[in-house]
Amino acid sequence: MLKMTHLSKAFRTEIVETFALRDFSIEVQQGEFVAVTGPSGSGKTTFLNIAGLLETASNGRYELDGQDVSALNDHARSKIRNEKIGFIFQAFNLIPDLNVFDNVDVPLRYRGLRAGERRRRIEDALERVGLSARMKHYPAELSGGQQQRVAIARALAGRPRLLLADEPTGNLDTQMARAVMELIEDVHRDGATIVMVTHDPELAARTQRNVHIVDGQVVDIDAAEPRFAAVAGG
């Protein structure tokens, strides 16, 4: 589903060049659930942004769903991103002036789906995350956990092949974090490939594989075997 080979990402100023990723290689198979861990500043979010076609690499090759997307123009990248990739962010990224229904609707409108199809998808997604009764509420009227569930519904409505989650429980209390994780696990059971950046060892232990990044490089990759422990062992 996702393959990066000898990929680098450099940020340059007139004085210095800083590498967020250096000679970075990784493969994620279709249907996997992978946790990406590492210290702050290690390159995890840069990797996720490149995986989601929000940023481009400086060098290297990136194949997504069998297609080389390394050198696509902005229009082509946006089209693939909208059709194949879903995002869940720590900060929710909801539009405050839109209600729950319309927040979930935004990416579907960009895909040109008919109104009836969009409504069916939105209602199905909101029912799945337990927010059917809140579809006319605005983000400010929801708790943090409810806002994150709206973000998950927005991703679900697009039926993504690849779901990218950046610290999806980082702003939630322990109980709500577990509830959100259970929703993400449900998405995985439905066949989506999921890559999740997290600092939480408990959440990482619930995925199939853990990729550890330090200083912009992969330093440890677990064997691709399912793990179901409640707490990570290391």
Side-chain angles (χ1 to χ4, degrees):
M1 187 66 198
L2 181 159
K3 182 178 181 180
M4 295 178 178
T5 308
H6 303 302
L7 187 146
S8 296
K9 176 64 176 181
F11 296 96
R12 298 178 176 87
T13 68
E14 294 181 358
I15 301 174
V16 68
E17 179 179 67
T18 303
F19 280 87
L21 298 177
R22 187 192 299 271
D23 196 28
F24 186 94
S25 296
I26 188 174
E27 289 189 41
V28 177
Q29 301 300 319
Q30 183 175 335
E32 273 197 289
F33 190 171
V34 177
V36 177
T37 61
S40 297
S42 60
K44 302 185 304 297
T45 297
T46 299
F47 153 67
L48 212 65
N49 287 342
I50 293 174
L53 302 178
L54 298 173
E55 294 184 26
T56 58
S58 304
N59 295 290
R61 181 181 177 91
Y62 174 26
E63 297 174 44
L64 176 63
D65 200 16
Q67 178 183 358
D68 184 358
V69 296
S70 308
L72 294 179
N73 61 33
D74 287 344
H75 176 75
R77 292 160 60 82
S78 295
K79 186 173 186 296
I80 292 174
R81 184 168 59 240
N82 195 250
E83 293 177 351
K84 293 188 177 184
I85 304 173
F87 296 91
I88 304 174
F89 300 97
Q90 179 178 350
F92 317 137
N93 284 10
L94 302 180
I95 301 172
D97 295 335
L98 297 182
N99 63 29
V100 166
F101 183 97
D102 290 336
N103 262 285
V104 179
D105 189 30
V106 167
L108 301 181
R109 285 179 176 271
Y110 282 113
R111 290 174 65 168
L113 298 177
R114 294 181 179 274
E117 173 67 12
R118 298 202 316 270
R119 175 170 287 278
R120 282 192 293 274
R121 290 195 184 199
I122 294 166
E123 290 177 349
D124 287 348
L126 289 175
E127 181 178 0
R128 189 167 175 182
V129 302
L131 289 176
S132 294
R134 298 285 190 270
M135 65 175 60
K136 296 304 180 184
H137 286 64
Y138 288 83
E141 300 173 310
L142 304 177
S143 69
Q146 289 172 327
Q147 290 185 59
Q148 190 59 291
R149 282 190 279 157
V150 174
I152 294 173
R154 181 177 56 195
L156 285 175
R159 299 175 185 172
R161 289 175 52 77
L162 175 64
L163 180 64
L164 303 174
D166 191 2
E167 297 285 359
T169 63
N171 287 334
L172 307 178
D173 61 41
T174 300
Q175 182 176 358
M176 188 54 66
R178 288 174 177 166
V180 165
M181 186 64 180
E182 288 171 1
L183 281 172
I184 295 173
E185 288 171 332
D186 284 344
V187 177
H188 175 241
R189 280 190 285 268
D190 283 348
T193 304
I194 301 179
V195 178
M196 178 181 69
V197 166
T198 182
H199 282 101
D200 189 330
E202 178 180 343
L203 299 187
R206 292 172 65 164
T207 68
Q208 291 176 306
R209 187 157 62 100
N210 188 352
V211 175
H212 195 66
I213 300 175
V214 175
D215 294 334
Q217 294 183 307
V218 175
V219 297
D220 184 45
I221 302 179
D222 286 354
E225 297 178 355
R227 296 180 297 162
F228 302 99
V231 180

